[in-house]
Amino acid sequence: MKDKLTELFLKIYGSRDGVSVYFAPGRVNLIGEHTDYNGGHVFPCALTIGTYAAVKVRDDRKIRMYSDNFPQKGMCEIEVGDYGYVEKPDWCNYPVGVIWALYKKGYVLDRGIDIVYYGDIPSGSGLSSSASIEVLTAYFLNEIFGFGIELTDIALLCQYSENNFNGSNCGIMDQFASAKGKAGNAIFLDTATLEYEYAPVKLDGQSLLIINSNKKHSIVNSHYNDRRREAETALSQLQKEADIKSLGELSESEFEEHKHCIENELLVKRARHAVYENQRTIKAKMALQKNDIKLFGELMAESHVSLRDDYEVSCRELDVIVEEALKLDGVWGIRMTGGGFGGCCVGIFDTDKIDNIKDKIDVVYKERCGIKADFYDVSIGDGPHKL
Ligand code: GLA
């Protein structure tokens, strides 16, 4: 990949001298969905797919960016210090937002830079291509300009940029998973305190598989921000009685005791998801540590039902994949993963039955939804690094 990126840089900017190549991963979340902005736990892993960049600083104040994923959209060219929203090409607002966020926090570039990006995360799959380009950009700028920012602060800075520059009110999960990824491990993160623990994913005879519904997911245009507001409203109503700062502080029984404070059934459903999903995530991490894959799989399946019925962030395509998969032999658990409204499912399957499972889902999904699904074997990779 290093050679591919260096060659691309040469093609676009006419030289390859002094070019460095960096990578930051995408993520898949095993369980703990829509809990990260509710003060709960999440359990994602960084992937070995992500975004790459070939970069070289310049002697003047120009910043140029090109993406090999969108060659038809052309080049983005801005000046150091001039960080407004870019109309065209639109993809570059993720890296520009990060440079803007650095600037806002006092990390100023003293020269321009030429950048070529290339990502191998399927677009719209909900596997965090945006977090990976953000973390990548913050990571190489931090290295090259010597800002000395820690990885957790890189994740927070990227979230800040996505919230304030790109207008998506996302939580910290995606940027944290990309910044702090560790090969072979899931990250058990308490989003209220940012304390985290690595949990080795050592499956014996089973494998993780991602199934892309190919129904495009985008949290900017989805009901994501509505869900966040609904959860906040439910929280403020619960606070009349319960002394809590977030829904993540409630156990299931405490929620049942206080839920009468919530004024309508829709908001009860939203809060119930946030509370129960957080507790499921804590149980799932313990199950994984005890190698209890049966329990882990059951918790995944319950998570999907809650996301579908209480939080209402699934969609027909994801529901069909989960429903059909659960009928098959060798399936331990499966759920939608990420923000929802499209994107991917993640499941745990017997390794020796996986080909058969893929074939069956492929056929029935095409039949019922008229779309072709894609399948990716999950390899859990490291966080950002130089190649
Ligand atoms: C998106 C957001 C995350 C998280 C998930 C849902 O991926 O970016 O912060 O809220 O949705 O769990």
Side-chain angles (χ1 to χ4, degrees):
M1 210 39 110
K2 190 174 173 186
D3 290 345
K4 176 181 162 104
L5 267 292
T6 313
E7 284 310 304
L8 262 173
F9 192 95
L10 171 68
K11 192 174 116 199
I12 303 304
Y13 299 115
S15 151
R16 71 169 99 181
D17 299 341
V19 170
S20 308
V21 179
Y22 293 85
F23 169 79
R27 66 93 189 94
V28 64
N29 188 21
L30 301 182
I31 192 162
E33 219 65 82
H34 289 271
T35 46
D36 64 346
Y37 53 85
N38 284 311
H41 292 78
V42 292
F43 204 24
C45 326
L47 297 169
T48 49
I49 51 174
T51 310
Y52 297 82
V55 300
K56 188 184 170 191
V57 285
R58 299 173 53 91
D59 295 327
D60 60 12
R61 294 175 64 80
K62 268 197 187 75
I63 300 174
R64 297 192 294 176
M65 301 175 193
Y66 173 88
S67 167
D68 197 48
N69 297 87
F70 305 106
Q72 73 288 0
K73 296 197 176 186
M75 182 85 88
C76 165
E77 192 171 318
I78 59 172
E79 288 285 311
V80 169
D82 183 12
Y83 305 133
Y85 195 82
V86 180
E87 290 304 328
K88 274 185 192 160
D90 50 357
W91 65 266
C92 75
N93 287 299
Y94 289 108
V96 171
V98 169
I99 303 174
W100 167 84
L102 283 166
Y103 174 78
K104 293 276 280 185
K105 306 271 175 198
Y107 300 108
V108 177
L109 310 193
D110 57 11
R111 275 168 299 162
I113 188 163
D114 285 337
I115 312 168
V116 171
Y117 290 103
Y118 167 72
D120 55 5
I121 300 176
S123 93
S125 61
L127 299 175
S128 291
S129 54
S130 40
S132 81
I133 194 173
E134 290 159 7
V135 168
L136 173 68
T137 305
Y139 184 83
F140 68 67
L141 292 174
N142 186 42
E143 286 245 319
I144 292 169
F145 291 96
F147 296 142
I149 312 172
E150 300 287 331
L151 288 172
T152 297
D153 290 323
I154 284 193
L156 286 165
L157 183 120
C158 293
Q159 183 201 15
Y160 173 84
S161 123
E162 188 151 343
N163 291 168
N164 297 291
F165 197 86
N166 304 102
S168 133
N169 226 346
C170 66
I172 188 64
M173 172 170 71
D174 305 348
Q175 290 80 7
F176 197 95
S178 178
K180 302 286 286 186
K182 184 169 167 192
N185 284 262
I187 309 170
F188 181 65
L189 170 69
D190 180 347
T191 62
T193 59
L194 294 190
E195 275 167 31
Y196 66 96
E197 204 183 306
Y198 290 111
V201 181
K202 285 186 287 193
L203 298 173
D204 186 15
Q206 298 103 12
S207 308
L208 286 167
L209 179 74
I210 295 174
I211 305 174
N212 188 351
S213 70
N214 283 318
K215 166 102 194 296
K216 293 272 185 258
H217 144 101
S218 154
I219 67 170
V220 177
N221 301 319
S222 70
H223 294 294
Y224 185 91
N225 290 351
D226 300 341
R227 290 297 176 279
R228 199 170 169 152
R229 268 193 301 276
E230 289 160 359
E232 279 159 11
T233 310
L235 170 66
S236 68
Q237 295 176 2
L238 283 165
Q239 282 168 332
K240 283 186 242 148
E241 211 175 83
D243 182 19
I244 49 166
K245 288 193 202 62
S246 73
L247 295 173
E249 288 176 34
L250 291 176
S251 65
E252 293 103 328
S253 59
E254 285 162 343
F255 172 73
E256 296 302 332
E257 186 188 327
H258 298 299
K259 71 175 184 202
H260 64 92
C261 298
I262 305 177
E263 284 160 21
N264 72 57
E265 191 46 34
L266 184 93
L267 297 183
V268 172
K269 292 201 315 182
R270 304 298 191 244
R272 183 166 58 214
H273 168 77
V275 171
Y276 278 70
E277 179 75 355
N278 180 41
Q279 297 300 327
R280 268 192 291 275
T281 307
I282 297 168
K283 289 176 199 153
K285 181 245 180 186
M286 292 192 295
L288 187 69
Q289 283 175 329
K290 288 194 206 131
N291 227 359
D292 188 346
I293 303 306
K294 183 168 178 292
L295 177 58
F296 196 95
E298 284 163 11
L299 292 163
M300 288 178 98
E302 283 174 24
S303 164
H304 185 81
V305 171
S306 178
L307 288 157
R308 183 191 68 200
D309 298 345
D310 276 353
Y311 221 61
E312 297 182 89
V313 290
S314 187
C315 61
R316 175 154 185 275
E317 290 79 359
L318 295 170
D319 293 344
V320 166
I321 291 173
V322 169
E323 185 192 321
E324 294 295 341
L326 287 174
K327 291 180 191 162
L328 302 173
D329 190 29
V331 177
W332 293 80
I334 180 164
R335 55 182 287 276
M336 57 154 275
T337 182
F341 308 104
C344 291
C345 292
V346 62
I348 303 182
F349 307 125
D350 280 338
T351 311
D352 59 354
K353 306 211 172 78
I354 223 161
D355 286 338
N356 180 47
I357 292 169
K358 285 182 191 171
D359 290 346
K360 294 246 163 69
I361 294 177
D362 187 38
V363 171
V364 74
Y365 181 63
K366 220 179 290 158
E367 230 168 65
R368 290 188 59 186
C369 296
I371 311 177
K372 197 177 151 13
D374 284 319
F375 301 88
Y376 320 121
D377 299 312
V378 177
S379 357
I380 305 178
D382 280 319
H385 51 271
K386 189 172 178 184
L387 268 62

